[in-house]
Every structure is written in structure tokens, then in C-alpha cells.
């Protein structure tokens, strides 16, 4: 049952035990079991200790503890001074492991999205629900969890919280919320009309539900106004930059190269720094306006979830030194985003040459630094920067060219790629085939007029970009 998602009606949080209570009216059903064992058919008077997972479902029970409400065989409590209805109509119950609070990607895909999906699954999403933190994860100290909570969830500025994209209030510890409702730290019950628990199977690591409703709900909540397809003035190419590891060191050079290649497009390099200066609403707006995204791998790239359906995201791979090949870092997240064209950008060892961060960035076996622990899983270069030479630049141009042709096909804006057609004709002619260059330009014009070749190229590129994925490190 750990993979289940459960909805409970009319349950109460006991302020003393910090357990939720589920009431069975013995006047009507004195001997009614709450469930039957699926293997033995034996009746159960209490729910299984592992009825649902408190966070992402994992087979290792030492990392993820189960959760259940306690069955009370009595009528539902009458409201009074020490028994109160919660101001929030819904309780969203989840554990918050420290490792899911270290960057934006984990905070969104492993924590915020599953809670929203639980609401959406039952058709009861509402932003005035209360997120409650279950103390159900082992090997985490609450002081550390509380510290990291301020980075992504309960931020000092609510506009920078990924959780505030979906809900009105901060997440609360059980004891903290009970005291808030009851007015003190004493005994009592805080009751909810609805409680949802068991969100571990709803992360973006698996396709238990569609991803687009989360994006749509955020857009509606923010009042996001988007230009209809076919009415965009020009395509927007956004390159993401940041401080720290896994950056593209010559990203400004790549931006200028793309701008020259596509003079009708707006090509922008957005620096997120160590921590984004943009509010969450501004980040969503940025992604909404972006048609083609180019991003390093890691937590920074996960803002791509807010791109418009049909947009293209080009996300860097990294070179896995144990496997001796290019692999994807967040495939378990992105493969289940059904509304985007995800392109995993393959890298080579040559793309790591001439960077300023080596050898310090390289992980070593049995090293003393925190990230050296990732060496057995991800190899030595997972945290290192990239710098594209001539071959890498051409590889990037090919990916962006394909994305631009897909954009032109959807928008009916072939004027945007005409400069590219002339450039390609000139390149082919310069490479020793003037006749081939003229033939290639004519073929491109014919394909553009018919609106056929961009989609064919899209399918070929998609297959060519697939490959084996490395297991993503939890603090990526």
C-alpha cells in the first residue's frame, strides 16, 4: 500500500500525540474492520503502519517511513474549546527530507508537485489548503530541515517560495499548527474536513499523473497572460547561466553566435547567479515567453516545467567517466513532462577542455569533500563546467536549428528561418559543392513552403538524442 494516495474525510490532529485520528462510529458498525489483509483476508482493526509513504516511495525503509491515521472507535468529536475545525479546509501531509530541500528541482518535483497532484487526482485542488510537515523521515535533524526549508519552501519573501506558486500559506510543523489553531501548546484536537496523504508515487519520477495540470494551475493562479500560438512577434531563445558548477563558460559567445544566425529572434542570456534574483512569478513569466531554452543540467534547469506546451528545452548532459559516455542527469523528471519537446544535449570529453574549474571540480574516490561521495555513482566530471569548441558549437547550432524549424512549422513563420536557409546554402557551397548548396537551399525553400520537413527532422533528432541515463544524485 505504500504506493497509494489516500483521501480521508473528517479526521483530527491530536495536539498531544501529533497523530491523526480516524473515527469509526461503533453505534452503527461495532465490529467493522477498517481493511482486510490482501494476502490472508484477515480483518484489520487498525490501518497498516505503512499504509502510505510520507514522501517519495522508496524500497529502503530506513530512509522513508510510512504513515497512517490511528483508528478511534467512537463518534466524531463535538466542537468545543479544545476541539476546533482548522481554518484550512484541507490538510496536505508530507515529510520533508533535507536532501529534497537543497535545490529548486527537488523542492518542486519531489515535494510541491506531488502535493498538487494529490489534490488534482481527487479533483479538489484549492490554494487555501494547509501543507503540514510529518516528522516521518529518519536520519534528518529537524534543525537542518528547518534551515533548508527557508531556502525553497518557507522563504522570508513569499514571492521566492516554490510552494507559494500553489498555496496561500507556508508549510507548518504539526505541533506549530495545532498551537496556532488552539491558541496554546495544550491538549486538544484540530479537525480537517479533508486530509490527503501518500504522495510518494506522484513525483515527476514516475508517470502516475499528467504534468501539465500543475503548470496550468500555476499559470492561472499567477494570472499569466500568454500570446496565442501563431501570434508571437518573434521567437525567444533563452540561455540560463549561474554561478558555481556545471556552467557553460563561453555561454556569451554561444549567445552571440545564435543571435547572428537568427537576427529575427531575441536571444538572451539570463544570469541566475548563486541564487535567482527573480521572484518565482518572474521565473514562470520568463519560461512562458521562452520558445527555446538552453540550460546546464542540475536544479537550475527544472524551471523548464513552466515553458509553454510545444516549446523546446535543450538540457546539457554530462560525461560519465565510469561509463565513458554522455548521460542525462534529470531524465527521471523530464521524461514525464508530456507537453514539452525535451532535447538532451550530448557532450564529449572535448567539451571539458580549456575550462577554468579543472582539476578542482573533479570528484575523487574516497575524497573528503561532501560531493566526492557522488564519485561512485556519477564519475569525476559531473560537477565540472563546459566550454564548447568549434565542434561543440556546431552541435549546438544543429540542435537550435531543428528547434527553430519546429517553431516555424507551428507558427507558420517561415520568414524567421530564411536567413538560416541562405547561411546553410553558403556553408554548403564553401564546403565544396556550389551545386549542392543551391540544391540544398531550393530543397529547404520547397520544404518550408509545404510545412513538412521540420516535423520530420524533429523525430529524427529526438531519437538521436536518447541514451542511457545515469542515476541522478539527490543533491543535483
Amino acid at each position: 500500500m505504500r504506493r497509494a494516495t489516500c483521501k480521508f474525510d473528517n479526521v483530527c490532529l491530536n495536539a498531544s500525540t501529533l497523530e491523526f485520528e480516524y473515527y469509526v462510529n461503533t453505534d452503527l458498525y461495532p465490529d467493522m474492520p477498517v481493511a482486510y489483509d490482501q494476502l490472508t483476508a484477515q480483518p484489520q482493526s487498525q490501518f497498516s503502519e505503512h499504509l502510505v509513504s510520507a514522501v517519495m516511495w522508496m524500497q529502503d525503509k530506513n530512509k522513508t517511513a510510512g504513515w497512517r491515521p490511528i483508528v478511534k472507535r467512537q463518534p466524531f468529536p463535538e466542537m468545543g474549546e479544545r476541539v476546533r475545525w482548522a481554518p484550512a479546509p484541507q490538510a496536505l501531509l508530507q515529510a520533508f527530507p533535507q536532501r529534497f530541500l537543497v535545490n529548486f528541482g527537488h523542492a518542486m518535483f519531489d515535494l510541491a508537485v506531488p502535493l498538487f497532484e494529490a489534490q488534482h487526482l481527487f479533483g479538489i485542488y484549492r490554494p487555501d489548503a494547509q501543507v503540514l510537515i510529518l516528522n516521518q523521515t529518519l536520519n534528518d535533524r529537524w534543525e537542518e530541515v528547518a534551515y533548508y526549508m527557508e531556502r525553497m519552501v518557507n522563504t522570508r519573501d513569499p514571492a521566492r517560495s516554490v510552494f507559494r506558486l500553489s498555496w496561500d500559506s507556508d508549510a507548518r510543523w504539526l505541533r506549530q499548527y495545532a498551537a496556532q489553531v488552539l491558541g496554546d501548546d495544550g491538549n486538544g484536537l484540530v479537525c480537517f474536513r479533508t486530509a490527503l496523504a501518500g504522495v510518494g508515487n506522484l513525483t515527476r519520477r514516475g508517470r502516475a499523473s499528467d504534468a501539465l495540470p500543475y503548470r496550468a494551475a500555476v499559470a492561472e493562479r499567477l494570472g499569466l497572460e500568454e500570446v496565442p500560438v501563431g501570434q508571437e512577434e518573434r521567437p525567444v531563445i533563452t540561455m540560463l547561466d549561474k554561478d558555481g558548477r556545471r556552467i557553460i563558460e563561453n555561454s556569451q559567445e554561444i549567445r552571440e553566435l545564435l543571435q547572428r544566425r537568427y537576427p529575427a529572434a531575441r536571444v538572451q542570456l539570463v544570469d541566475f547567479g548563486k541564487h535567482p534574483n527573480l521572484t518565482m512569478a518572474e521565473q514562470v513569466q520568463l519560461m512562458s515567453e521562452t520558445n527555446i531554452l538552453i540550460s546546464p543540467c542540475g536544479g537550475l534547469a527544472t524551471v523548464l516545467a513552466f515553458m509553454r506546451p510545444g516549446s523546446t528545452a535543450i538540457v546539457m548532459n554530462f560525461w560519465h567517466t565510469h561509463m565513458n559516455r554522455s548521460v542525462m542527469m534529470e531524465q527521471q523528471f523530464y521524461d514525464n513532462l508530456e507537453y514539452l519537446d525535451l532535447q538532451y544535449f550530448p557532450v564529449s570529453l572535448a567539451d571539458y577542455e580549456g575550462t577554468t574549474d579543472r582539476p578542482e571540480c573533479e570528484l575523487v574516490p574516497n575524497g573528503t569533500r561532501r560531493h566526492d561521495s557522488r564519485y561512485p555513482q556519477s564519475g569525476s566530471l559531473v560537477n565540472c563546467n563546459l566550454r564548447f569548441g568549434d565542434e561543440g558549437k556546431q552541435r549546438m547550432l544543429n540542435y537550435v536549428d531543428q528547434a527553430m524549424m519546429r517553431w516555424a512549422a507551428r507558427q507558420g513563420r517561415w520568414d524567421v528561418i530564411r536567413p538560416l536557409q541562405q547561411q546553410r546554402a553558403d556553408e554548403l557551397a564553401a564546403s565544396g559543392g556550389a551545386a549542392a548548396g543551391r540544391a540544398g537551399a531550393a530543397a529547404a525553400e520547397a520544404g518550408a513552403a509545404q510545412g513538412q520537413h521540420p516535423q520530420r527532422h524533429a523525430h529524427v533528432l529526438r531519437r538521436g538524442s536518447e541514451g542511457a541515463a545515469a542515476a541522478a544524485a539527490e543533491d543535483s
Side-chain angles (χ1 to χ4, degrees):
M1 287 293 289
R2 289 168 65 95
R3 289 185 183 270
T5 301
C6 295
K7 170 178 172 286
F8 299 93
D9 294 326
N10 299 323
V11 293
C12 298
L13 169 63
N14 188 310
S16 299
T17 65
L18 300 184
E19 293 178 326
F20 276 81
E21 298 180 352
Y22 177 86
Y23 303 95
V24 176
N25 192 332
T26 55
D27 292 340
L28 297 176
Y29 302 104
D31 300 318
M32 175 70 76
V34 295
Y36 287 87
D37 187 281
Q38 291 294 307
L39 299 180
T40 66
Q42 293 299 307
Q44 297 177 334
S45 60
Q46 291 285 344
F47 293 110
S48 166
E49 291 183 1
H50 297 289
L51 175 67
V52 296
S53 172
V55 70
M56 184 188 76
W57 187 88
M58 300 176 66
Q59 297 212 3
D60 186 353
K61 295 183 180 180
N62 293 324
K63 292 184 178 180
T64 303
W67 178 88
R68 64 171 178 179
I70 300 300
V71 175
K72 293 289 185 178
R73 298 189 175 277
Q74 65 184 60
F76 188 79
E78 294 184 4
M79 295 297 110
E81 184 65 24
R82 306 305 300 174
V83 180
R84 298 183 180 180
W85 285 111
Q90 291 178 16
L92 306 179
L93 311 180
Q94 188 178 48
F96 283 68
Q98 175 186 326
R99 60 198 176 93
F100 287 167
L101 295 166
V102 295
N103 72 25
F104 177 84
H106 288 299
M108 181 171 69
F109 283 132
D110 286 322
L111 297 175
V113 166
L115 287 174
F116 168 83
E117 294 290 0
Q119 292 180 294
H120 180 67
L121 183 67
F122 290 100
I124 54 173
Y125 167 69
R126 50 189 304 169
D128 56 354
Q130 178 62 55
V131 177
L132 294 176
I133 307 168
L134 299 172
N135 302 336
Q136 298 295 113
T137 52
L138 307 179
N139 304 323
D140 274 340
R141 294 186 302 174
W142 79 265
E143 296 91 345
E144 294 177 344
V145 173
Y147 169 78
Y148 283 103
M149 288 276 289
E150 292 186 359
R151 294 181 56 178
M152 298 291 171
V153 180
N154 295 342
T155 54
R156 289 185 174 89
D157 179 3
R160 300 184 184 279
S161 167
V162 63
F163 270 57
R164 288 299 187 97
L165 287 174
S166 301
W167 301 288
D168 296 336
S169 58
D170 285 345
R172 291 284 184 260
W173 297 90
L174 297 180
R175 191 179 302 281
Q176 178 188 30
Y177 188 74
Q180 175 185 326
V181 175
L182 295 173
D184 56 44
D185 295 329
N187 299 335
L189 298 173
V190 177
C191 301
F192 293 87
R193 303 287 185 185
T194 301
L196 297 176
V199 298
N201 62 318
L202 297 176
T203 75
R204 283 272 53 96
R205 298 169 187 266
R207 191 162 189 156
S209 58
D210 290 338
L212 185 56
Y214 173 73
R215 195 261 182 199
V218 169
E220 181 177 354
R221 179 168 163 79
L222 294 177
L224 195 63
E225 296 184 1
E226 298 180 302
V227 178
V229 174
Q231 298 182 24
E232 295 177 351
E233 181 178 352
R234 58 177 176 168
V236 176
I237 302 173
T238 299
M239 298 184 65
L240 296 185
D241 197 11
K242 63 173 184 174
D243 293 339
R245 58 197 184 190
R246 306 191 197 107
I247 66 173
I248 302 172
E249 291 193 356
N250 58 337
S251 56
Q252 180 61 35
E253 181 183 358
I254 301 295
R255 189 205 71 79
E256 294 171 356
L257 181 64
L258 291 173
Q259 188 66 79
R260 289 194 299 271
R261 194 172 186 84
Y262 286 106
R266 175 159 63 95
V267 185
Q268 57 186 352
L269 180 62
V270 180
D271 187 1
F272 273 44
K274 185 67 175 176
H275 299 291
N277 292 323
L278 302 176
T279 66
M280 287 306 309
E282 290 169 338
Q283 293 180 46
V284 173
Q285 183 70 49
L286 173 66
M287 291 299 100
S288 170
E289 296 171 353
T290 296
N291 304 111
I292 302 171
L293 177 70
I294 301 171
S295 175
C297 57
L300 175 64
T302 51
V303 293
L304 61 81
F306 300 114
M307 297 180 73
R308 299 177 63 185
S311 301
T312 297
I314 302 171
V315 181
M316 303 300 103
N317 287 356
F318 72 95
W319 187 264
H320 199 301
T321 52
H322 300 338
M323 304 173 80
N324 199 33
R325 60 182 175 185
S326 174
V327 297
M328 309 149 193
M329 179 172 288
E330 295 96 0
Q331 184 185 26
Q332 79 277 20
F333 292 151
Y334 302 149
D335 275 359
N336 298 307
L337 293 177
E338 73 279 359
Y339 54 94
L340 296 180
D341 181 11
L342 266 298
Q343 298 292 331
Y344 302 105
F345 187 82
V347 299
S348 68
L349 278 174
D351 298 328
Y352 291 88
E353 295 177 0
T355 58
T356 60
D357 62 336
R358 295 181 68 186
E360 290 78 8
C361 66
E362 299 178 28
L363 306 187
V364 296
N366 304 315
T368 58
R369 299 170 301 177
R370 180 172 65 91
H371 290 295
D372 285 331
S373 62
R374 297 181 56 185
Y375 175 81
Q377 181 185 27
S378 303
S380 62
L381 295 177
V382 62
N383 285 346
C384 293
N385 297 341
L386 300 169
R387 177 177 287 275
F388 293 119
D390 291 342
E391 192 279 330
K393 293 174 188 174
Q394 187 58 53
R395 196 184 327 135
M396 178 65 73
L397 291 178
N398 289 342
Y399 268 70
V400 176
D401 286 351
Q402 298 283 1
M404 286 294 289
M405 286 189 283
R406 289 191 294 273
W407 181 88
R410 283 190 288 264
Q411 301 286 332
R413 290 286 307 281
W414 301 108
D415 58 296
V416 171
I417 64 172
R418 287 198 181 100
L420 171 64
Q421 294 165 356
Q422 184 59 52
Q423 288 183 51
R424 291 296 296 140
D426 294 342
E427 291 167 2
L428 289 171
S431 65
R438 289 191 296 271
E445 285 286 356
Q450 297 173 10
Q452 295 175 348
H453 76 281
Q455 296 302 326
R456 181 170 66 252
H457 284 297
H459 294 310
V460 172
L461 182 59
R462 182 71 179 188
R463 288 197 299 272
S465 67
E466 292 173 353
E474 297 302 344
D475 59 346
S476 63

